[in-house]
Amino acid sequence: MNAPFPSPTKQPLRLLIAAPRGFCAGVDRAIEIVERALDIYGSPVYVRHEIVHNKFVVDSLKAKGAVFVEELDAVPDGVPVIFSAHGVPKSVPREATERGLEWLDATCPLVSKVHRQAERQIEAGRHILFIGHAGHPEVIGTFGQVPEGTMTLVETLEDVAKLDFGPDDELAYLSQTTLSVDDTGAIIRAIEARYPQVVAPKAEDICYATSNRQAAVKQISPLCQLVFVIGAPNSSNSLRLVEVAHRAGACAQLIQRASDIDPVWLTGVETVGITAGASAPEALVNEVVARLKEICDVEAEEVVTAKEHITFKLPRQLVR
Ligand code: SF4
């Protein structure tokens, strides 16, 4: 009898899984708001903008009866509408109320906190320098909390150099919640150097989830040749994780699903890192780990840099 062929040996691969990763308290709350609204009101429930920036999450909620639209005009009369976790300009709930729509606000409480700070700075007579990314829904929502012309967007160090305020101008700065901690720190230092009179927020605007996920990926990246960031291309915090991993010395790849992985990427790679943006569910992390186990002989280890215990209350209408 011939000896059996030896089974082909798989490439060994060390897998470092960053923790914290994935869903934050604001995303958990926003998804629960849609699910509870569907239970209470029945389908359809309309959602203005993707509730969180993740196709898997949006598709799962669509399957349960949620309808996603970009503007209130697309919401028919007589159905409830939910505003996404990123927040909305004040004009949106006002318009919904004028139309007699029942609305629920899934804005993350940490985004709402920035909105209230913006109002307070304007009341105090200050012009706001807002550090953020043009066009992101959170930025549009925060600009929509204050009168036009009272807030200036600052995206880069070059933008700081171009500001033309004087030493006597009353200024304050605020920021988007999902920025790069390091880049934002550099922009704040530049603002403070040009305008020592600028008033800082009472506490850091970049949220705990963004900071924790960046710190975790910063820790694993120097040990990895390749880091997979699971998240959507329109997810600000996921894109920042790619930048952080890259700067920490790894080749970083944004992927949405396990099927995005090309096995060729793993050629010659000994250690791979995995993290996930705040809007990416753990199911997608498990899917990626399973896919890597199909391709390689994986030895996985979770690297925990912080524990998170934050939860947010639901809107009163949904608590039964
Ligand atoms: S990333 Fe931060 S600000 Fe955004 S939803 Fe999560 S906790 Fe809230």
Side-chain angles (χ1 to χ4, degrees):
M1 202 171 110
N2 291 332
F5 287 112
S7 58
T9 50
K10 290 182 186 172
Q11 166 192 342
L13 186 71
R14 186 172 173 226
L15 201 55
L16 300 180
I17 307 172
R21 62 179 174 275
F23 277 7
C24 58
V27 165
D28 270 334
R29 174 180 180 270
I31 294 169
E32 195 171 353
I33 287 174
V34 180
E35 288 175 338
R36 287 211 185 193
L38 284 164
D39 282 347
I40 292 170
Y41 301 103
S43 125
V45 162
Y46 276 66
V47 184
R48 184 187 175 280
H49 194 68
E50 290 185 339
I51 186 75
V52 299
H53 286 155
N54 189 276
K55 187 175 173 338
F56 181 87
V57 171
V58 167
D59 286 347
S60 318
L61 293 171
K62 272 185 193 167
K64 294 177 184 172
V67 178
F68 291 86
V69 297
E70 278 310 306
E71 291 301 338
L72 272 190
D73 299 350
V75 180
D77 289 338
V79 294
V81 60
I82 298 170
F83 307 138
S84 78
H86 315 96
V88 289
K90 274 185 174 172
S91 56
V92 173
R94 190 165 56 227
E95 188 191 329
T97 303
E98 282 165 8
R99 280 187 52 197
L101 294 175
E102 175 133 18
W103 55 268
L104 292 158
D105 191 1
T107 302
C108 176
L110 300 182
V111 174
S112 301
K113 195 184 84 182
V114 178
H115 291 179
R116 299 295 76 79
Q117 290 184 81
E119 286 180 320
R120 278 200 292 276
Q121 295 299 357
I122 298 302
E123 279 160 21
R126 300 186 182 108
H127 185 94
I128 298 169
L129 306 176
F130 189 78
I131 308 164
H133 295 296
H136 190 278
E138 184 184 328
V139 174
I140 295 169
T142 305
F143 269 71
Q145 305 303 310
V146 297
E148 213 177 319
T150 56
M151 199 186 271
T152 300
L153 184 65
V154 175
E155 291 190 88
T156 60
L157 287 170
E158 292 70 42
D159 289 348
V160 178
K162 283 189 225 147
L163 293 170
D164 64 354
F165 296 98
D168 296 329
D169 286 317
E170 300 269 8
L171 297 171
Y173 74 81
L174 296 173
S175 86
Q176 194 178 330
T177 56
T178 51
L179 299 179
S180 151
V181 172
D182 293 341
D183 289 350
T184 307
I187 291 174
I188 290 170
R189 284 192 292 279
I191 289 173
E192 289 177 334
R194 274 205 76 187
Y195 303 110
Q197 78 275 29
V198 75
V199 173
K202 281 209 180 74
E204 173 71 77
D205 288 332
I206 295 177
C207 77
Y208 80 96
T210 299
S211 308
N212 286 349
R213 279 148 193 70
Q214 287 179 20
V217 83
K218 211 182 222 182
Q219 173 128 342
I220 63 166
S221 295
L223 307 171
C224 302
Q225 289 88 49
L226 174 61
V227 171
F228 288 123
V229 177
I230 304 166
N234 58 344
S235 158
S236 172
N237 77 86
S238 302
L239 295 174
R240 303 296 80 79
L241 289 172
V242 172
E243 289 169 4
V244 170
H246 189 66
R247 284 184 198 161
C251 177
Q253 183 74 44
L254 183 74
I255 53 171
Q256 301 208 65
R257 299 293 301 254
S259 52
D260 293 346
I261 296 172
D262 184 341
V264 170
W265 296 342
L266 300 166
T267 308
V269 170
E270 290 171 6
T271 307
V272 162
I274 295 183
T275 184
S279 42
E282 187 65 8
L284 298 183
V285 175
N286 294 336
E287 187 189 87
V288 167
V289 172
R291 175 70 185 128
L292 291 174
K293 283 182 175 171
E294 278 171 16
I295 305 168
C296 299
D297 183 9
V298 167
E299 189 191 313
E301 180 191 336
E302 187 173 59
V303 180
V304 182
T305 52
K307 296 267 188 195
E308 294 178 343
H309 305 284
I310 292 177
T311 54
F312 296 129
K313 284 188 195 151
L314 292 171
R316 254 173 306 150
Q317 303 100 299
L318 298 180
V319 181
R320 300 237 149 147

